[in-house]
Amino acid sequence: MSRPNIDWPTLGFDYLRTDLRYLSHWRGGAWDGGTLTGDNTLHISEASSALHYGQQCFEGLKAYRCRDGSVNLFRPDRNAARMHRSSARLLMPPVPTETFIDACRQVVRANLGYLPPYGTGGALYLRPFLIGVGHNVRVASAPEFLFSVFCFPVGPYFKGGLTPTNFVVSRYDRAAPNGTGAAKVGGNYAASLLPGQEARGQGFADGIYLDPETHTKIEEVGSANFFGITRDGKVVTPRSPSILPGVTRDSLMYLARERLGLEVEERDVYVDRLGDFAEAGACGTAAVITPIGGVQHGETFHVFHSETEVGPVTRRLYDELTGIQFGDVEAPEGWTVKVE
Ligand code: PLP
Ligand code: COI
């Protein structure tokens, strides 16, 4: 097992080549048995539909090292289920849930030396992906597919972790009405590259997207979901068919309701009503919970009450969520899957 020399507490979110990744090929109507490989490059046809027509989808989940040394995956069945929906939307064969979870476990076990130690705040990020390959230049589904899972150790996606960060409302859309916004497919992220770069160029962490139909309602951040805490303590998250249904968002709604006794509302969030919220945040696997300090919208810069310090409700949600992920707080039934 590799013993990489990594300064765990300063880890950000960057690719690092780890020892082994999982690779499986779909040909002639079936998946092969899958294998672990040390090769971190793919050899695919130049006519692969993943390259030309964006026939691909991916997932993101993490493995966590607990205080007692054990290793957990967090709700991998939810990622497997979302990949089913993404692959169905793009005419790709489903990766069976057992195969998905087994591949994740194999990859974590094969790269244990890269798992950030308990207490450093880091985790091992897993990136499963499914792509259309083989010779095909028509705008039609590929003849073959690859499913792979690789991993790398990560710290916070947005610099600063729990320090409130500013976001800007984007003038672009990332997804269309009745498009692929709810699927985790590369095309949505391709659409967000330029807006993301513009946002960072203006000194913001990322863009916030509005609904593509009326441009009046908050949808999500380019790499995470949005939530707000009303002045009377309700947890609110946007309802929309074009946002990615995040596992973290779903988990926070459940924990807010069932563990913290808070009211939860999934509803329209009008961008001109940000004043209703005392706290706001971005939540996702990579982002974990990133508090939002302020939002630039046109000429207006809206500042939340908890501008410089994480707000009290966001803090409680963060502690409950990460406590479960790192095994310090009892998990709801079926949420954690032991790897080791
Ligand atoms: N929205 C977008 C666009 C994302 O990329 C992500 C990250 O996966 C999320 C939301 C949050 O999803 P999850 O909590 O499942 O990571
Ligand atoms: C994740 O949180 O897993 C994501 O996929 C976000 C990513 C675009 C970095």
Side-chain angles (χ1 to χ4, degrees):
M1 183 174 72
S2 290
R3 291 256 166 240
N5 191 11
I6 295 174
D7 185 26
W8 304 109
T10 59
L11 269 181
F13 194 90
D14 297 295
Y15 177 75
L16 176 77
R17 179 180 178 165
T18 52
D19 292 346
L20 293 167
R21 69 274 308 125
Y22 177 92
L23 191 60
S24 179
H25 209 136
W26 188 94
R27 265 194 211 102
W31 290 105
D32 66 16
T35 170
L36 290 176
T37 169
D39 187 358
N40 71 336
T41 61
L42 295 175
H43 191 80
I44 59 172
S45 168
E46 61 191 356
S48 292
S49 59
L51 299 178
H52 303 276
Y53 307 127
Q55 194 181 23
Q56 67 88 256
C57 63
F58 68 100
E59 274 302 324
L61 68 162
K62 285 175 174 170
Y64 303 82
R65 174 78 76 182
C66 302
R67 192 191 292 270
D68 65 2
S70 63
V71 179
N72 284 338
L73 292 170
F74 182 70
R75 307 191 75 186
D77 57 322
R78 303 318 306 152
N79 296 92
R82 188 168 62 192
M83 189 175 244
H84 284 167
R85 297 194 299 272
S86 302
S87 57
R89 179 66 178 79
L90 263 57
L91 289 185
M92 298 192 280
V95 174
T97 298
E98 314 76 67
T99 306
F100 183 98
I101 296 177
D102 177 57
C104 291
R105 294 173 89 145
Q106 285 192 46
V107 169
V108 176
R109 283 205 186 110
N111 295 287
L112 278 178
Y114 292 92
L115 222 146
Y118 174 84
T120 59
L124 191 69
Y125 183 82
L126 296 162
R127 174 52 66 85
F129 64 97
L130 169 60
I131 61 175
V133 298
H135 312 312
N136 166 49
V137 287
R138 304 190 72 86
V139 184
S141 189
E144 296 176 18
F145 297 87
L146 286 181
F147 170 61
S148 178
V149 183
F150 66 95
C151 70
F152 48 99
V154 297
Y157 184 75
F158 292 114
K159 268 201 233 87
L162 258 190
T163 312
T165 309
N166 297 332
F167 289 75
V168 58
V169 173
S170 181
R171 61 193 176 96
Y172 301 95
D173 294 328
R174 75 178 270 286
N178 304 315
T180 55
K184 199 162 171 67
V185 301
N188 298 337
Y189 295 84
S192 71
L193 291 177
L194 176 64
Q197 178 172 282
E198 282 189 9
R200 286 186 295 277
Q202 296 168 316
F204 297 100
D206 202 350
I208 291 183
Y209 294 93
L210 300 182
D211 73 286
E213 201 135 33
T214 69
H215 298 112
T216 56
K217 295 173 272 184
I218 289 187
E219 294 251 292
E220 62 182 326
V221 176
S223 49
N225 288 122
F226 177 91
F227 68 89
I229 313 293
T230 60
R231 292 177 182 277
D232 58 353
K234 283 191 198 113
V235 178
V236 177
T237 191
R239 176 197 299 281
S240 161
S242 49
I243 64 170
L244 189 78
V247 178
T248 316
R249 169 186 187 271
D250 179 77
S251 306
L252 289 178
M253 286 196 287
Y254 176 90
L255 295 174
R257 200 182 284 125
E258 302 297 327
R259 294 277 176 96
L260 307 184
L262 300 172
E263 249 183 83
V264 174
E265 284 179 355
E266 200 184 348
R267 61 154 164 90
D268 291 341
V269 175
Y270 288 93
V271 67
D272 61 3
R273 297 298 304 266
L274 286 176
D276 293 351
F277 299 114
E279 305 171 35
C283 64
T285 301
V288 193
I289 289 181
T290 299
I292 300 180
V295 173
Q296 184 78 42
H297 179 217
E299 299 300 304
T300 313
F301 185 60
H302 178 86
V303 177
F304 291 100
H305 194 237
S306 49
E307 179 197 359
T308 50
E309 221 178 286
V310 56
V313 178
T314 304
R315 173 97 233 178
R316 286 176 71 203
L317 287 168
Y318 179 88
D319 288 346
E320 190 71 19
L321 176 74
T322 57
I324 290 169
Q325 291 171 331
F326 286 103
D328 291 327
V329 172
E330 197 191 334
E333 177 79 28
W335 277 25
T336 53
V337 170
K338 271 225 167 334
V339 173
E340 273 257 306

